[in-house]
Amino acid sequence: MLDSSCKLKSVCNLPFVYNKKINTAGTSNADVPLADPGMYQLDITLRRGQSLAARDRGGTSDPYVKFKIGRKEVFRSKIIHKNLNPVWEEKACILVDHLREPLYIKVFDYDFGLQDDFMGSAFLDLTQLEINRPTDVILTLKDSHYPDHDLGNILLSVVLTPKEGEPRDVTMLMRKSWKRSSKFQTQSLRLSDQHRKSHLWRGIVSITLIEGRDLKAMDSNGLSDPYVKFRLGHQKYKSKIMPKTLNPQWREQFDFHLYEERGGIIDITAWDKDAGKRDDFIGRCQVDLSSLSREQTHKLELQLEEGEGHLVLLVTLTASATVSISDLAVNSLEDQKEREEILKRYSPLRIFHNLKDVGFLQVKVIKAEGLMAADVTGKSDPFCVIEVNNDRLLTHTVYKNLNPEWNKVFTFNIKDIHSVLEVTVYDEDRDRSADFLGKVAIPLLSIQNGEQKAYVLKNKQLTGPTKGVIYLEIDVIFNAVKASLRTLIPKEQKYIEEENRLSKQLLLRNFIRTKRCVMVLVSAAYYVNSCFDWESPPRSLAAFVLFLFVVWNFELYMIPLVLLLLLTWQYFLIISGKDNRQRDTVMEDMLEDEEEEDDKDDKDSEKKGFINKIYAIQEVCISVQNVLDEVASFGERIKNTFNWTVPFLSWLAIVALCVFTVILYFIPLRYIVLLWGINKFTKKLRSPYAIDNNELLDFLSRVPSDVQVVQYQELKPDPSHSPCKRKKNNLG
C-alpha cells in the first residue's frame, strides 16, 4: 500500500517528497468531501531553497517565491540576492474556500528593470494534507518546457486548519507582496478581530548603527558606497549611503517593535550602492534578541557572512510603552484615577524622567459615513489603520457596509509632539491586498482635546477629497518642556516610505517651489540695490541713516534680537487681524495636477516608457528632484516659522532667541567660542557613540513645508455630516 507521500506525487504530476510521512490513520483532508463549503486556514512557512537554477551571468540568481491559488497571487516572498540556496523563513496565512484548487508555487529570479526569469514551479495538493498536523514538504521544481532540467527544491512547512463559522470571524495578518511596478511600495495588512492583540508590541528594540570596519571593496576604485538594511519580521529600516569608504561611520539610531516574548531574529544585510544598475551584496549577519538581556545596552561587533568586514551596533531591549486597544466604553481618560495618573506622569515636575516619553495620545475611532464602494456588490469591508510615525494599530473589519461603526479606543505613547496622526481606511479583500478608501493626516499639535469631529477623507497624496467622512475624538496630553527638548534631536524616520519616483509634475513643482524661495532673495537684493540707486529718495535716505546707526552701534546680540523682533511683529499682526498670509492656491493647484498625473500613471502602469529603461539618467533626475525639494522645503520652513504656522514652534523660537540675545549681551564672544570649541573637541571622548546632529536643522525639520501645510489642511465636511461636538464627559 502506498503511503501518502506517494499519493501526493501522483496527484500533483510534479514530484516532491515529504520529510515526514503522513500517517494514513490520521484525519486526512482527502476524507473530506470536496463539496464541503467550510473555510480552511493554510499556514505556510517558506523555509529555504536548495540547488536552485542559476539565471545570472555570475552563476547565481536572486530568487523569490510566489504562491497562487486559483490563478490569484496570495503571497510573494522577499528577494534573496545572489544565492542558489536561499533561506527565507517567511510565514503566510491563507484562507481557502475549498480544497479543489492546489497551491501553485513559482520561483523567479529578480532582474532589476527587466522581466524576471522563471526558475521553476510545483504544485501542492491540499486534499492530501492532514488536518491540524504540521507537515514538512520538499517540492521539486520543474519547467514544463524543459522537463529534464534539474531546477532544485523548495522546502515548506504547512498546517491546514478548518475554520468554523463565517469567514468574517477569521483574522488574517498577511504580508503584502512588494510590487515593484507600484509607485507606493507600502505593506498592506489583512486584518480582523480575532488576533487583534497580535499587533500590540510587547517591547522596544533600540538599535544604533555605529560603523562598519574593513568592508569588502565592490567598486573598481577599490572602495564601496555601503548602506545597511535591517529586518525584524515585517519591520524594515534602511540606513543612509556612505560614499567611497570601506570604514563607514553611520551613527544612526532607530527603534523596532518587539512582538514576541522570546525576542526574534534581526536580519542585517550590507550593500554597495551602484547608480544605474543593481546594488552589490557585501555581506549579511543576524542578531538573536533572545540571547540579549533586557534594560541593558549591548555593544555588538558582528562578522559579515558571505563577505568581509564587521558591523558595530548598540542594541537595547526595553519594556513596551503604553499601547492598547479597547472598546469605546472602556478607555483610560474616562477613568478619573487613571486620568490623574497620566496627568501626573506628564506634569512639569517630571521633566527629566524618561525624556523619550513626551506624552500620551488617545484616539477614539467611532464611525465612518458615505464610504466608497470597493466591491462589485456595491459595498465595502472597511477597516482602519491608525499610525503615529512607526507605531501602527488596526481596527476590526466591518463587512458589507458603507457606514461602518468601529467604536474603538487606541492609545499611544508620544515620542515627538510634532508627529502626525494618520488614519487610513481600507477595504479588506480576502483574495488581494486591501483597497485604499481614504485617509486623513492630523498634526498632534492641531488637535482639540475631547472634541468629536467629522474629518473628510482625502486621497493617497492628501491633496484632495475622496468619498466619505470619518468621526474621531482625540486627546493629547504632553509635557511641553520634554517636547521642546525633543525638538532639538533628529526626527524619527518612517521605515516604510513612498518610493522615490521620477515625475515631470513633481520635478516641475519642486523647481517652482525652489524658484519662489530664490525670488524672495532676488527681490530683497533688488530692494537693497534700489536704495543704493536712489530710486526713491525718502526710502534711500532712511536706509542710509539706518545703515550708519546700525554699523556704528552694532553688537553681536543684535542678530538674534532682530529675528526676535520680526517674530514678535508677525505675532501681533496675526492677533490684530492684519495678517497678510494667504492660502497657497498655487501649491494646491500644483498638487492637484500631480494627482492627475499619478492617476494616469496608475492606468498606464503596464506601458513601459523609454525613460524607465535609462536608469542612470533616471537616478540623476530623481536626485535633482529631491535636491530641489530639500532646498525649497528649507526656505519654506524658515518662512513658516516666522508666519506662526505652528505656534508651538514659533514660541519655542522666541524663547531660544531671547536666551541667545541675553547670552551674547552679557558673555564676551571669546568665551562663547571657547566653550563651543571645547565641546566639539571633547564630544567624541566623552561619548564615543554619540549621534551627530545639528539642532537648528532638527528644529526646522519639525516645521511643515508648504506642501505639508496643504496636506494637513482640514477639509470642510458636507453640511449633512455635521460633527457632534461634545466634551468627553458628555459622551456616553
Side-chain angles (χ1 to χ4, degrees):
M1 181 177 178
L2 293 174
D3 61 24
S4 297
S5 61
C6 295
K7 286 194 284 184
L8 281 165
K9 288 184 187 180
S10 62
V11 170
C12 294
N13 295 323
L14 288 172
F16 60 87
V17 182
Y18 279 123
N19 285 349
K20 296 180 182 178
K21 292 185 178 180
I22 302 177
N23 181 6
T24 54
T27 306
S28 171
N29 222 17
D31 301 327
V32 179
L34 290 178
D36 183 11
M39 295 287 295
Y40 294 88
Q41 178 174 315
L42 183 62
D43 294 296
I44 307 174
T45 302
L46 174 61
R47 298 292 185 192
R48 61 186 183 274
Q50 292 179 339
S51 305
L52 300 185
R55 291 289 187 256
D56 295 336
R57 292 179 180 177
T60 62
S61 292
D62 305 311
Y64 66 93
V65 180
K66 290 182 182 180
F67 292 164
K68 288 188 174 183
I69 293 181
R71 296 184 180 180
K72 293 178 180 177
E73 184 178 320
V74 293
F75 173 80
R76 184 182 299 194
S77 76
K78 63 185 178 183
I79 300 165
I80 305 294
H81 291 274
K82 296 186 177 180
N83 201 323
L84 299 182
N85 296 284
V87 177
W88 284 284
E89 293 296 337
E90 292 189 63
K91 296 183 178 180
C93 176
I94 303 167
L95 283 185
V96 182
D97 286 320
H98 55 77
L99 304 176
R100 294 192 190 93
E101 297 282 358
L103 179 69
Y104 189 28
I105 297 98
K106 300 180 75 173
V107 184
F108 291 89
D109 166 52
Y110 171 60
D111 283 331
F112 179 71
L114 302 173
Q115 184 174 356
D116 296 344
D117 297 320
F118 180 66
M119 296 177 62
S121 63
F123 288 98
L124 177 60
D125 186 355
L126 303 182
T127 64
Q128 296 299 313
L129 295 178
E130 293 186 41
I131 298 296
N132 295 323
R133 180 167 182 174
T135 308
D136 293 335
V137 184
I138 300 177
L139 298 171
T140 300
L141 297 174
K142 289 293 182 181
D143 186 344
S144 58
H145 297 291
Y146 305 98
D148 298 331
H149 286 194
D150 183 8
L151 302 180
N153 303 311
I154 292 291
L155 282 69
L156 309 173
S157 294
V158 295
V159 182
L160 187 66
T161 309
K163 284 293 179 184
E164 298 178 359
E166 295 293 324
R168 68 189 63 187
D169 299 327
V170 181
T171 299
M172 288 198 301
L173 185 63
M174 285 191 65
R175 176 183 178 275
K176 181 186 175 184
S177 58
W178 287 76
K179 300 181 180 177
R180 293 179 293 279
S181 62
S182 172
K183 51 180 208 286
F184 295 105
Q185 294 190 352
T186 54
Q187 280 187 325
S188 175
L189 298 178
R190 299 204 179 196
L191 321 159
S192 59
D193 209 28
Q194 186 179 349
H195 296 122
R196 187 173 55 188
K197 296 181 180 179
S198 65
H199 45 263
L200 295 178
W201 49 95
R202 304 183 181 188
I204 304 293
V205 185
S206 183
I207 302 171
T208 304
L209 174 61
I210 302 298
E211 62 185 3
R213 298 175 184 168
D214 304 320
L215 300 184
K216 186 176 180 180
M218 305 302 294
D219 297 336
S220 57
N221 58 6
L223 298 172
S224 292
D225 305 309
Y227 64 93
V228 181
K229 291 182 178 180
F230 295 81
R231 181 189 178 100
L232 176 62
H234 66 274
Q235 303 170 91
K236 298 178 181 179
Y237 179 81
K238 178 182 175 181
S239 76
K240 60 188 176 185
I241 300 167
M242 305 300 293
K244 297 180 181 179
T245 179
L246 300 180
N247 297 283
Q249 299 285 322
W250 281 287
R251 299 293 199 273
E252 293 185 49
Q253 193 276 329
F254 59 96
D255 294 337
F256 278 157
H257 295 144
L258 196 59
Y259 291 89
E260 301 179 14
E261 287 286 354
R262 58 181 180 276
I265 302 292
I266 300 178
D267 293 312
I268 305 170
T269 53
W271 300 84
D272 166 55
K273 179 66 176 177
D274 284 332
K277 57 181 180 179
R278 189 185 325 168
D279 296 346
D280 296 321
F281 176 74
I282 295 178
R284 71 172 69 249
C285 55
Q286 291 185 330
V287 176
D288 185 358
L289 297 178
S290 63
S291 63
L292 303 180
S293 56
R294 301 201 172 218
E295 309 299 336
Q296 180 180 346
T297 300
H298 304 268
K299 180 184 176 183
L300 306 178
E301 296 186 15
L302 305 173
Q303 171 73 45
L304 289 176
E305 301 173 3
E306 305 176 34
E308 300 174 6
H310 297 77
L311 294 179
V312 180
L313 312 175
L314 299 180
V315 181
T316 307
L317 276 67
T318 58
S320 174
T322 304
V323 57
S324 67
I325 305 175
S326 61
D327 293 325
L328 196 60
V330 182
N331 64 81
S332 302
L333 297 181
E334 292 289 347
D335 187 335
Q336 189 61 32
K337 183 179 293 186
E338 194 165 350
R339 182 182 179 86
E340 289 176 359
E341 289 180 1
I342 293 171
L343 290 171
K344 182 179 179 182
R345 190 192 314 162
Y346 302 109
S347 69
L349 300 177
R350 295 172 65 87
I351 296 174
F352 299 106
H353 179 75
N354 190 4
L355 287 175
K356 287 188 176 182
D357 186 12
V358 170
F360 174 86
L361 172 66
Q362 177 177 281
V363 183
K364 294 181 182 179
V365 182
I366 300 168
K367 63 180 179 179
E369 292 181 352
L371 296 180
M372 187 188 311
D375 298 336
V376 293
T377 59
K379 299 290 185 179
S380 292
D381 305 320
F383 65 88
C384 287
V385 178
I386 299 91
E387 296 177 90
V388 181
N389 289 334
N390 292 303
D391 295 346
R392 171 185 289 193
L393 293 176
L394 320 145
T395 69
H396 61 283
T397 302
V398 179
Y399 289 88
K400 293 180 173 52
N401 202 322
L402 300 180
N403 301 288
E405 293 190 10
W406 292 287
N407 292 321
K408 296 294 180 184
V409 181
F410 301 84
T411 63
F412 299 86
N413 267 80
I414 301 172
K415 293 179 282 187
D416 188 348
I417 195 59
H418 309 289
S419 300
V420 176
L421 170 67
E422 295 182 358
V423 181
T424 310
V425 184
Y426 291 98
D427 167 64
E428 182 180 328
D429 196 323
R430 189 169 52 82
D431 297 321
R432 301 190 314 250
S433 58
D435 296 322
F436 176 86
L437 297 180
K439 181 178 183 179
V440 292
I442 309 167
L444 298 186
L445 285 171
S446 69
I447 290 170
Q448 298 176 344
N449 284 354
E451 181 180 8
Q452 184 185 138
K453 297 181 69 175
Y455 293 89
V456 176
L457 292 173
K458 296 184 177 183
N459 54 31
K460 284 183 181 178
Q461 294 80 26
L462 297 170
T463 55
T466 188
K467 193 174 182 183
V469 297
I470 186 168
Y471 289 82
L472 306 173
E473 183 179 324
I474 313 170
D475 289 271
V476 177
I477 298 172
F478 68 98
N479 184 300
V481 178
K482 284 186 183 180
S484 301
L485 294 175
R486 290 284 293 177
T487 305
L488 304 179
I489 66 173
K491 188 177 181 181
E492 181 181 5
Q493 299 298 316
K494 293 198 76 170
Y495 306 147
I496 304 173
E497 292 195 347
E498 181 180 329
E499 180 191 33
N500 290 329
R501 57 193 173 83
L502 183 59
S503 163
K504 64 178 182 180
Q505 286 291 346
L506 184 59
L507 187 61
L508 178 62
R509 185 192 80 186
N510 290 344
F511 176 78
I512 294 174
R513 291 170 60 206
T514 305
K515 181 181 176 182
R516 290 168 71 185
C517 294
V518 172
M519 288 307 297
V520 171
L521 300 178
V522 172
S523 299
Y526 275 126
Y527 184 85
V528 173
N529 193 60
S530 69
C531 294
F532 295 152
D533 292 340
W534 291 84
E535 294 178 3
S536 172
R539 185 177 65 195
S540 296
L541 180 62
F544 181 59
V545 172
L546 181 64
F547 169 76
L548 293 176
F549 178 79
V550 170
V551 172
W552 184 257
N553 296 282
F554 179 76
E555 296 290 344
L556 198 60
Y557 72 86
M558 293 182 180
I559 296 176
L561 181 60
V562 169
L563 297 176
L564 179 62
L565 292 175
L566 287 175
L567 267 170
T568 307
W569 174 254
Q570 185 66 26
Y571 174 74
F572 282 113
L573 285 179
I574 293 172
I575 63 174
S576 64
K578 298 179 180 179
D579 178 28
N580 58 359
R581 294 180 300 171
Q582 295 179 351
R583 186 170 177 177
D584 198 345
T585 55
V586 175
M587 183 63 63
E588 292 178 5
D589 292 341
M590 284 193 292
L591 288 171
E592 288 176 5
D593 292 340
E594 184 185 339
E595 177 196 344
E596 291 175 3
E597 187 196 16
D598 290 339
D599 294 339
K600 184 178 178 181
D601 289 343
D602 286 341
K603 296 174 184 176
D604 300 336
S605 60
E606 298 300 323
K607 301 178 182 178
K608 296 185 177 179
F610 180 72
I611 195 170
N612 293 328
K613 299 177 182 178
I614 311 177
Y615 293 102
I617 297 176
Q618 184 178 10
E619 192 148 342
V620 170
C621 292
I622 290 174
S623 299
V624 172
Q625 181 176 281
N626 293 340
V627 168
L628 289 174
D629 178 58
E630 290 177 7
V631 172
S633 296
F634 183 79
E636 291 166 355
R637 287 183 169 120
I638 294 174
K639 178 198 71 174
N640 290 334
T641 301
F642 286 91
N643 278 349
W644 290 77
T645 301
V646 181
F648 181 91
L649 290 171
S650 297
W651 279 116
L652 185 58
I654 281 185
V655 172
L657 290 172
C658 287
V659 171
F660 290 148
T661 302
V662 172
I663 290 175
L664 290 172
Y665 184 81
F666 287 104
I667 301 177
L669 181 61
R670 67 172 66 90
Y671 294 135
I672 297 174
V673 175
L674 185 64
L675 289 173
W676 175 84
I678 291 173
N679 174 64
K680 284 294 184 182
F681 276 105
T682 61
K683 187 174 182 179
K684 293 297 180 185
L685 300 176
R686 290 181 284 111
S687 182
Y689 303 122
I691 297 175
D692 297 327
N693 71 303
N694 183 299
E695 287 78 6
L696 178 59
L697 294 181
D698 291 333
F699 170 85
L700 288 175
S701 70
R702 268 60 174 211
V703 182
S705 65
D706 286 352
V707 173
Q708 292 172 319
V709 169
V710 173
Q711 290 175 335
Y712 300 157
Q713 279 178 353
E714 186 178 330
L715 301 178
K716 292 183 179 180
D718 188 272
S720 61
H721 296 294
S722 58
C724 179
K725 298 182 179 180
R726 295 177 291 180
K727 293 296 180 181
K728 69 171 76 66
N729 292 336
N730 297 329
L731 184 63

